[in-house]
Amino acid sequence: MTKVSMTVNGEAAEGEVEGRTLLVEFLREELGLTGTHVGCDTSQCGACVVHVDGRDVKACTIFALEAEGAEVRTIEGMANPDGSLSVIQQAFQDHHGLQCGFCTPGMVMSAAALLEANPKPSEHEIRDYLEGNICRCTGYHNIVKAIMAASGQDVSRIAAE
């Protein structure tokens, strides 16, 4: 077992891990941050996306030890300081960008990374960026609409589906 420490959602976090412990396992099992979902264990679905030092990363693809000293942000850290939903989370709610909710944490984290890099993405750019995130319920249309709305773009011309 090896000691690992990092900052998670603005707070110091540490624990003892085996070398093979994935970041997603550390977050869920050691820190109790179960919003980061494990969907496929093969890095195909995107349900486990978190931010590590400002980059979106599938937490099932890196070991907890690789995040030593890093700033990690999970879906639990996305809300505003007063506990209200962030702009992105609110847009997902307002535009029905979720259904069962399983993919939602990864989608929100990916959307936040996209909007950080590209504040006004086109529909095509959003769809391209989300290629590594799987949703089996919504058909993506309302997720794309929510991300466009979160970026401040007019989505009134986009028909509901």
Side-chain angles (χ1 to χ4, degrees), residues 73-86:
R73 187 175 189 193
T74 69
I75 191 67
E76 289 90 348
M78 286 298 293
N80 293 318
D82 67 359
S84 63
L85 297 178
S86 70

Side-chain angles (χ1 to χ4, degrees), residues 11-71:
E11 296 189 21
E14 61 180 42
E16 296 276 329
V17 297
E18 293 182 30
R20 65 183 177 179
T21 303
L22 297 172
L23 179 58
V24 70
E25 295 168 332
F26 179 72
L27 294 170
R28 290 180 59 83
E29 296 167 18
E30 295 297 320
L31 302 183
L33 298 172
T34 57
T36 302
H37 293 160
V38 179
C40 66
D41 280 331
T42 60
S43 79
Q44 300 296 311
C45 73
C48 67
V49 172
V50 298
H51 296 173
V52 178
D53 290 333
R55 289 188 8 224
D56 53 331
V57 173
K58 291 179 180 175
C60 74
T61 65
I62 69 169
F63 295 113
L65 291 172
E66 291 179 274
E68 172 66 36
E71 293 276 340

Side-chain angles (χ1 to χ4, degrees), residues 71-144:
E71 293 276 340
V72 177
R73 187 175 189 193
T74 69
I75 191 67
E76 289 90 348
M78 286 298 293
N80 293 318
D82 67 359
S84 63
L85 297 178
S86 70
V87 170
I88 297 168
Q89 291 170 311
Q90 190 64 56
F92 268 70
Q93 181 178 7
D94 293 345
H95 296 281
H96 311 291
L98 55 105
Q99 202 159 350
C100 82
F102 193 81
C103 72
T104 305
M107 289 287 187
V108 168
M109 299 306 290
S110 291
L114 169 61
L115 295 179
E116 181 70 28
N118 182 355
K120 299 282 185 201
S122 68
E123 180 178 346
H124 175 76
E125 290 169 324
I126 294 168
R127 288 183 184 278
D128 187 56
Y129 197 87
L130 294 179
E131 190 172 288
N133 294 72
I134 295 174
C135 175
R136 295 183 178 178
C137 300
T138 68
Y140 301 93
H141 179 79
N142 289 339
I143 292 170
V144 172

